[in-house]
Amino acid sequence: MAADSMEIDDALYSRQRYVLGDTAMQKMAQSHVFLSGIGGLGVEIAKNIILAGVKALTVHDTKQCTKWDLGINFFIHEDDITSQRNRAEATLHRIAELNPYVHVAASTVPLDETTDLSFLKQYQCVILTEVSLLLQKKINDFCHAQQPPIKFISADVYGMCSRLFCDFGDEFEVLDTTGEEPKEIFISNITQSNPGIVTCLENHPHRLETGQFLTFREVNGMSCLNGSTHQITVVSPYSFSIGNTSDMEPYLHGGIAVQVKTPKTFYFERLEKQITNPLCLVADFSKPQAPLQIHVAMLALNHFQENFGRRPNIGCLQDAEEMLKIAMSISETLENKPQVNGDVVKWLSRTAQGFLAPLAAAVGGVASQEVLKAVTGKFSPLQQWLYIDMLDIVTPLEKTGSEEFLPRGDRYDALRACIGDSLCQKLHDLNVFLVGCGAIGCEMLKNFALLGVGTGQDKGLVTITDPDLIEKSNLNRQFLFRPHHIQKPKSYTAAEATLNINPCLKIDSYINKVCPATENTYSDEFYTKQDVIVTALDNVEARRYIDSRCVANLRPLIDSGTMGTKGHTEVIVPHLTESYNSHRDPPEEEIPFCTLKSFPAAIEHTIQWARDKFESSFSHKPSLFNKFWQTYPSAEEVLQRIKSGESLEGCFHVIKTLSRRPRSWTQCVELARVKFEKYFSHKALQLLHSFPLDTRLKDGSLFWQSPKRPPFPVKFEFNDPLHYGFIVSAAKLFATVYCVPFTEKDLSEETLLKIISAVKVPEFRPSNKVVQTDETARKPDHIPVSSEDERNAIFQLEKSIQSSEALENDLQMKPISFEKDDDGNGHVDFITAASNLRAKMYNIEPADRFKTKRIAGKIIPAIATATAAVSGLVALELIKVVGGYPADAYKNCFLNLAIPIMVFTETAEVRRTEIRNGISFTIWDRWTIYGKEDFTLLDFINAVREKYGIEPTMVVQGVKMLYVPVMPGHIKRLKLTMQKLVKPSADKKYVDLTVSFAPETDGEEDLPGPPVRYYFVQEDN
């Protein structure tokens, strides 16, 4: 992002622009930030804010690199230690590489009680890590006193506890507290009353909150509401009140209420005052007292350091007792006099010398988002403390001897001080399968490298896969990749970059998709070799598939995902928790076919229509055309066959395309101009012919009322940039699919004006075609071809053959695949122009290219801060899975860094399904039957009954019904062998079947059973 022009590099920042918006991006690109302490937490914050794109960052540190740093700072290498480099200088060029638009400088001068702080005036935000509490207070006072105040953030990770504090000055104004799109609500009624009650359309809840503001437009009848703004009170999910409407004209129909974003002022206190009366964000509602308890414990640790000049020694009971005394006395000085939690103090004392890198990743993600809020004024800032503890990890280690936690002089000493050597070894020996090497995947690999996952001498391996190549837009958050990696495979590149962090890591990388087609590679045998599977995916379908494979092979799975500033993590442990497939999100609402085709009401509808037109004209039709001519290689053969009465699938549309095929640039422009008339003029005229403006429904109400909007034809104007843009982009795409060359001169205004002026645009002729108005109706699969159409096809094909326009080259087209991130290909330009012309036709507010690209490309907004936070939380759960922790130790998390909220919840306990007579099962149970070569279906049913005490009445293999008694011929199958019924491949030793059982009373549904793994022959024990 160049600071002088403030132009945003969309190829790099596109996913983040959808999170922050351009105003915030530009403010960020003018901001100078100071960060002290480039240890494990500092480097996380530096990474995230450099990727985000601040103007300048100064990293300050006075410490030398040590062996210890290799396990906490992913940008410090072995040679930095041997060369005794300063940490800031060692990491400088590596963090600067992350974003060429950010100026990064290093500072190594001492920062202490005697330092003149006036140098901080050049910065808009100051972040402190690894700084004493006394110095934090001094710097905070200085920052708070400036005009305008310098935004102050301090963050620390000690052992199993972390702390984050924000002070953005006495008053801090935020223009957009949530970053959510303003809601638009279609109105069905407004009462004439005090207060007036506004009701939304049926089945469309408003999802508003009391106190929000709305403005109105397009209200018929009560028209004085249009343009006015009202504060609302929620009455029900479908209605809200807006104040006195009793003196207004009666409401007739229509109207849209649009949410208005209002600025909000946040008030902050200095660190000194907040220490005695802290305002904390509660992350775990099962432990509402935890933030205050950690607050006291961490203050006690700070005082211990001031008193003794060191942190408590590992496993030293005397130091723990001393810290507990300090905590008791500190508690008395706080306003609420919170109860001291002895366990928190003890564990903080025991682990204070250690450092959990994944905890730093989680806190660093949150802290980085606060930095971005500080310099942009976008989103709600943290008020004012966030505490996260990992007591869940350390509590089960109660009986572990203190020698387990002592340093061994290697890169894992910081981790060992927190979790002990045995758990470190288990991490080293771990076999883990990471699916996806995108943003979360890159962060996870960094966490694996710092934890030493897959580094064991005899055991341990990290397997990764991702079919994608690196794009420029990935570089904004997939921090293992650099510009010279663009168009290289993500998995291979990520593996190489991870080895730079920890050369001892053993890593296998693949470029396969994980799906049914690759089950030869990712077989049951492969899954059973894995200790845990970690997904870093961007779609639900892939998650569901991998979850089913994990359940079938009894493997733990940790899933996570982000969308903008929101993120989630979910832990799935065999026999303890439900699986991902146990819960289903509601399906995405599809836009009804009739809405897309004839009755759009919102810009999303016109964008989807334009995207469908792109797919149909430039991808689907050309593909069908090619497929047809690959099946029937010559036009003469096709003509002969249809003349003899043969029906060839798709031939009518193919012949129509062939006969109308443009063969020059002029014809491509003419085709684009005719399409303009058809889409944006004739379509409107036809609808108004079918439904004139005064059309009424059976109940007497107007046909054209909200949400239906009457269309009005658009008259082509060459000088209108929107009209001109449609012609150019459509003509270029037609030229591409029809293999017509064109030059720069062809694209000149002069050439285009000359061609368009000569075009004979067909006149509108109304038809009697029925317009679909039923919202439940789906798009028809194929439209029947009339006998007249068939006769016409014969005539057209004969004509093409006679004029030598059905030769080999004429029977080929070049289908286009939609690519949203290539600005030079014209794909998004066509969709933007087509969508906005349709919006103009229906009087819908248009969308700019940026918004159109997001909706048409189904782009998921993304930012590095949320990705880092989520991956850190996943790695913390990984430690628990490796340690074989009990069910109540695991936590799922939902976070939204914009608001900000972070909610930890216990995992859902696995449900047990009762069959009958005390027989029950869970999703993790699997019954096993061993057969032999002549084993029949009846033998199988009897074997299940004998072994498990209940007789199956139905047997299913995947989607194939093997045995359903009521189906014709199925009783005869009982005598068939299982080999004949299942037809396994030669190498297949077993098959997974689903069985059901007869209900206890007739008329009820069959009772489901667990999966049954049937082995074709007895396995050798």
Side-chain angles (χ1 to χ4, degrees):
M1 205 182 308
D4 50 355
S5 69
M6 296 313 300
E7 196 176 309
I8 295 168
D9 183 349
D10 187 62
L12 176 66
Y13 289 117
S14 66
R15 306 307 187 261
Q16 184 178 285
R17 282 177 79 185
Y18 293 120
V19 181
L20 296 177
D22 286 4
T23 305
M25 291 282 292
Q26 286 165 346
K27 282 182 183 173
M28 196 164 55
Q30 293 170 306
S31 60
H32 295 72
V33 178
F34 178 83
L35 167 64
S36 180
I38 199 79
L41 180 55
V43 75
E44 281 284 350
I45 297 170
K47 160 179 65 77
N48 297 336
I49 60 179
I50 289 170
L51 288 170
V54 295
K55 181 176 185 179
L57 173 70
T58 302
V59 289
H60 167 265
D61 204 292
T62 56
K63 295 177 184 172
Q64 273 189 357
C65 298
T66 65
K67 193 87 172 172
W68 180 277
D69 288 306
L70 293 175
I72 65 173
N73 184 324
F74 46 87
F75 280 148
I76 288 178
H77 299 165
E78 290 275 4
D79 62 322
D80 299 319
I81 297 154
T82 51
S83 307
Q84 297 185 322
R85 288 195 187 105
N86 168 280
R87 293 196 303 184
E89 290 174 339
T91 53
L92 177 69
H93 72 279
R94 292 172 193 138
I95 55 175
E97 262 188 352
L98 292 168
N99 192 336
Y101 293 114
V102 181
H103 177 72
V104 187
S107 167
T108 59
V109 297
L111 183 62
D112 54 35
E113 301 295 323
T114 62
T115 305
D116 176 4
L117 298 178
S118 57
F119 79 95
L120 292 175
K121 289 182 179 179
Q122 63 185 296
Y123 300 104
Q124 283 77 52
C125 182
V126 168
I127 312 140
L128 303 181
T129 70
E130 303 184 18
V131 171
S132 74
L133 190 61
L134 283 173
L135 187 53
Q136 284 184 42
K137 289 179 190 173
K138 182 185 174 184
I139 294 173
N140 174 245
D141 286 342
F142 175 84
C143 291
H144 196 101
Q146 301 309 304
Q147 286 303 326
I150 300 167
K151 314 303 180 289
F152 174 89
I153 295 169
S154 68
D156 285 298
V157 172
Y158 291 111
M160 41 63 78
C161 287
S162 68
R163 170 174 68 196
L164 174 61
F165 172 79
C166 295
D167 170 15
F168 294 174
D170 288 332
E171 294 185 1
F172 180 73
E173 188 179 67
V174 173
L175 296 176
D176 182 355
T177 56
T178 65
E180 301 292 337
E181 288 266 326
K183 295 182 179 74
E184 288 200 359
I185 296 107
F186 288 97
I187 296 164
S188 69
N189 189 45
I190 307 173
T191 61
Q192 258 182 314
S193 55
N194 187 11
I197 306 293
V198 180
T199 308
C200 339
L201 284 181
E202 202 178 356
N203 299 326
H204 291 78
H206 53 68
R207 296 189 175 92
L208 296 168
E209 293 170 22
T210 294
Q212 290 179 329
F213 288 85
L214 298 178
T215 183
F216 291 83
R217 68 169 197 255
E218 299 178 30
V219 176
N220 289 279
M222 213 175 263
S223 53
C224 58
L225 278 178
N226 292 328
S228 65
T229 303
H230 298 261
Q231 192 169 16
I232 65 124
T233 303
V234 171
V235 175
S236 79
Y238 296 92
S239 61
F240 51 86
S241 65
I242 56 167
N244 193 351
T245 58
S246 52
D247 295 336
M248 297 180 186
E249 308 150 57
Y251 171 82
L252 294 175
H253 64 84
I256 299 171
V258 184
Q259 186 186 351
V260 178
K261 296 263 184 178
T262 49
K264 183 176 177 180
T265 302
F266 292 82
Y267 303 94
F268 289 86
E269 292 178 341
R270 295 172 191 235
L271 178 60
E272 183 80 63
K273 188 168 182 191
Q274 271 288 304
I275 281 173
T276 58
N277 189 19
L279 180 61
C280 301
L281 182 73
V282 177
D284 188 340
F285 293 106
S286 69
K287 303 187 294 186
Q289 298 307 313
L292 271 181
Q293 291 169 352
I294 306 167
H295 180 73
V296 172
M298 291 190 83
L299 288 176
L301 176 63
N302 293 130
H303 282 266
F304 185 99
Q305 285 179 281
E306 285 164 23
N307 296 348
F308 298 100
R310 63 174 176 86
R311 294 185 206 171
N313 287 323
I314 295 168
C316 177
L317 296 176
Q318 199 177 338
D319 283 357
E321 286 300 319
E322 183 62 34
M323 237 178 83
L324 190 58
K325 280 184 208 163
I326 297 170
M328 294 289 193
S329 61
I330 286 173
S331 177
E332 289 304 310
T333 66
L334 303 189
E335 283 192 28
N336 289 336
K337 296 186 172 40
Q339 195 177 355
V340 174
N341 184 323
D343 283 343
V344 172
V345 175
K346 177 188 73 178
W347 277 110
L348 180 56
S349 170
R350 188 168 171 175
T351 62
Q353 293 208 14
F355 188 92
L356 272 175
L359 182 56
V363 179
V366 182
S368 313
Q369 190 69 56
E370 294 307 310
V371 175
L372 304 188
K373 293 173 189 179
V375 298
T376 64
K378 176 98 177 200
F379 305 141
S380 305
L382 171 68
Q383 296 220 285
Q384 282 186 250
W385 301 86
L386 172 66
Y387 285 99
I388 303 173
D389 73 274
M390 280 300 125
L391 266 175
D392 290 332
I393 286 181
V394 293
T395 306
L397 306 173
E398 180 75 54
K399 294 188 171 73
T400 310
S402 58
E403 69 283 351
E404 276 264 328
F405 299 85
L406 294 172
R408 310 278 166 104
D410 63 18
R411 65 165 67 220
Y412 306 112
D413 278 347
L415 174 65
R416 191 176 284 112
C418 295
I419 66 171
D421 191 59
S422 295
L423 205 39
C424 283
Q425 288 304 324
K426 285 182 178 177
L427 285 165
H428 299 340
D429 293 343
L430 196 68
N431 289 331
V432 61
F433 181 33
L434 174 68
V435 190
C437 301
I440 292 176
C442 284
E443 293 284 342
M444 281 313 312
L445 285 168
K446 171 255 299 176
N447 293 333
F448 291 167
L450 295 177
L451 292 172
V453 169
T455 58
Q457 282 190 331
D458 304 315
K459 287 191 267 182
L461 177 68
V462 175
T463 305
I464 62 174
T465 190
D466 194 307
D468 291 345
L469 301 178
I470 296 161
E471 306 285 347
K472 187 177 179 181
S473 64
N474 301 149
L475 305 183
N476 174 235
R477 51 203 186 284
Q478 299 174 19
F479 85 102
L480 296 178
F481 307 142
R482 302 289 176 269
H484 62 272
H485 293 139
I486 289 170
Q487 287 306 299
K488 290 184 178 176
K490 284 186 179 180
S491 61
Y492 299 161
T493 311
E496 193 182 330
T498 308
L499 291 173
N500 287 332
I501 302 171
N502 188 342
C504 300
L505 202 79
K506 288 174 286 181
I507 188 163
D508 271 357
S509 45
Y510 295 87
I511 52 173
N512 307 319
K513 202 173 173 183
V514 183
C515 60
T518 56
E519 280 185 15
N520 282 343
T521 305
Y522 307 116
S523 60
D524 289 344
E525 191 181 353
F526 171 84
Y527 277 93
T528 51
K529 284 179 183 171
Q530 308 306 319
D531 297 304
V532 63
I533 286 84
V534 177
T535 48
L537 296 160
D538 60 1
N539 71 89
V540 170
E541 187 186 346
R543 285 189 177 99
R544 291 202 181 287
Y545 171 72
I546 290 164
D547 176 74
S548 70
R549 300 289 287 130
C550 289
V551 171
N553 291 287
L554 304 180
R555 297 295 93 185
L557 167 68
I558 312 178
D559 176 57
S560 61
T562 67
M563 187 166 75
T565 56
K566 302 184 185 87
H568 81 272
T569 64
E570 184 175 3
V571 195
I572 293 149
V573 185
H575 303 297
L576 297 182
T577 71
E578 291 284 71
S579 79
Y580 184 84
N581 282 305
S582 302
H583 52 82
R584 287 193 175 270
D585 294 329
E588 270 189 54
E589 267 187 49
E590 275 191 15
I591 304 168
F593 170 63
C594 70
T595 301
L596 279 180
K597 190 165 173 63
S598 305
F599 307 112
I603 194 66
E604 288 78 7
H605 301 161
T606 69
I607 293 171
Q608 186 59 54
W609 172 87
R611 174 70 204 268
D612 290 349
K613 276 279 170 273
F614 179 96
E615 289 298 327
S616 167
S617 303
F618 309 122
S619 179
H620 185 62
K621 282 180 183 172
S623 297
L624 290 178
F625 185 88
N626 288 348
K627 191 179 173 186
F628 182 88
W629 293 114
Q630 281 159 10
T631 311
Y632 309 105
S634 84
E636 288 78 7
E637 182 194 333
V638 169
L639 181 62
Q640 197 177 349
R641 289 171 79 158
I642 54 176
K643 273 186 171 179
S644 66
E646 218 177 310
S647 178
L648 307 183
E649 192 182 345
C651 84
F652 168 68
H653 297 292
V654 165
I655 293 166
K656 189 172 152 188
T657 303
L658 178 66
S659 65
R660 295 181 181 182
R661 180 179 187 128
R663 294 163 189 283
S664 65
W665 172 249
T666 298
Q667 288 178 347
C668 290
V669 175
E670 286 170 352
L671 181 57
R673 174 65 187 90
V674 169
K675 291 290 183 191
F676 181 101
E677 204 68 17
K678 178 186 173 183
Y679 295 156
F680 312 118
S681 175
H682 290 186
K683 174 69 179 177
L685 293 168
Q686 178 60 45
L687 273 170
L688 293 172
H689 167 77
S690 300
F691 304 105
L693 289 175
D694 56 0
T695 304
R696 291 189 178 271
L697 299 170
K698 285 175 185 173
D699 64 0
S701 61
L702 281 168
F703 176 84
W704 292 110
Q705 62 168 301
S706 182
K708 283 194 178 73
R709 309 168 75 86
F712 295 96
V714 177
K715 187 175 186 303
F716 180 75
E717 298 283 348
F718 184 83
N719 294 323
D720 187 314
L722 184 58
H723 301 199
Y724 181 78
F726 175 82
I727 297 293
V728 172
S729 58
K732 281 166 76 175
L733 291 169
F734 281 128
T736 304
V737 295
Y738 288 110
C739 311
V740 173
F742 57 92
T743 63
E744 280 300 311
K745 191 186 174 193
D746 287 332
L747 293 168
S748 69
E749 277 192 38
E750 187 187 344
T751 305
L752 290 166
L753 181 60
K754 191 177 171 186
I755 297 169
I756 287 167
S757 303
V759 176
K760 288 187 172 65
V761 179
E763 279 185 31
F764 169 69
R765 287 197 180 90
S767 87
N768 296 320
K769 267 202 307 193
V770 176
V771 177
Q772 182 61 262
T773 58
D774 179 2
E775 289 201 359
T776 61
R778 303 188 72 81
K779 184 178 180 178
D781 290 334
H782 59 92
I783 298 155
V785 178
S786 67
S787 54
E788 188 185 339
D789 287 338
E790 284 177 0
R791 283 195 298 276
N792 200 15
I794 293 170
F795 170 71
Q796 286 175 337
L797 188 54
E798 280 178 334
K799 194 176 164 191
S800 296
I801 292 168
Q802 284 163 10
S803 53
S804 299
E805 289 183 347
L807 304 174
E808 192 178 339
N809 282 351
D810 300 312
L811 307 183
Q812 288 174 4
M813 288 175 73
K814 187 181 173 186
I816 297 174
S817 293
F818 176 67
E819 174 45 64
K820 57 189 175 287
D821 285 321
D822 177 358
D823 286 344
N825 64 17
H827 299 186
V828 175
D829 296 331
F830 170 83
I831 290 170
T832 305
S835 165
N836 283 341
L837 278 163
R838 189 166 172 85
K840 188 175 182 180
M841 181 168 114
Y842 283 95
N843 196 23
I844 293 168
E845 195 73 24
D848 60 14
R849 188 184 189 280
F850 181 57
K851 181 176 178 178
T852 304
K853 175 178 165 177
R854 173 176 66 80
I855 296 169
K858 294 183 168 60
I859 290 174
I860 300 171
I863 190 165
T865 50
T867 308
V870 157
S871 68
L873 296 171
V874 167
L876 291 166
E877 295 305 314
L878 178 78
I879 295 171
K880 299 176 194 175
V881 171
V882 172
Y885 282 30
D888 59 0
Y890 301 106
K891 292 284 188 288
N892 293 337
C893 181
F894 171 78
L895 57 84
N896 185 347
L897 301 184
I899 305 182
I901 59 164
M902 197 173 207
V903 181
F904 291 98
T905 55
E906 288 191 0
T907 55
E909 187 183 348
V910 66
R911 285 194 301 270
R912 183 159 284 280
T913 303
E914 295 287 332
I915 304 174
R916 62 167 175 263
N917 306 335
I919 300 168
S920 64
F921 68 95
T922 75
I923 55 165
W924 299 103
D925 289 326
R926 188 174 61 215
W927 293 354
T928 310
I929 297 292
Y930 292 97
K932 50 191 178 183
E933 208 170 319
D934 58 353
F935 216 67
T936 64
L937 178 58
L938 183 59
D939 292 333
F940 170 78
I941 289 169
N942 290 337
V944 172
R945 187 188 65 229
E946 284 166 26
K947 190 170 180 181
Y948 296 104
I950 189 163
E951 183 176 318
T953 50
M954 191 156 82
V955 184
V956 178
Q957 177 197 357
V959 293
K960 184 179 166 188
M961 303 279 193
L962 292 186
Y963 178 62
V964 182
V966 294
M967 290 184 74
H970 273 222
I971 297 292
K972 292 177 185 172
R973 290 186 174 185
L974 290 169
K975 294 177 184 175
L976 295 177
T977 65
M978 293 296 283
Q979 290 268 10
K980 193 163 187 176
L981 274 171
V982 173
K983 299 184 179 72
S985 54
D987 59 338
K988 197 84 171 155
K989 293 179 181 176
Y990 57 80
V991 63
D992 287 327
L993 304 171
T994 306
V995 294
S996 305
F997 307 99
E1000 294 197 51
T1001 52
D1002 289 343
E1004 291 185 7
E1005 285 192 13
D1006 280 7
L1007 303 168
V1012 179
R1013 180 160 286 184
Y1014 172 72
Y1015 287 85
F1016 295 104
V1017 289
Q1018 181 77 40
E1019 288 224 317
D1020 297 329
N1021 290 329

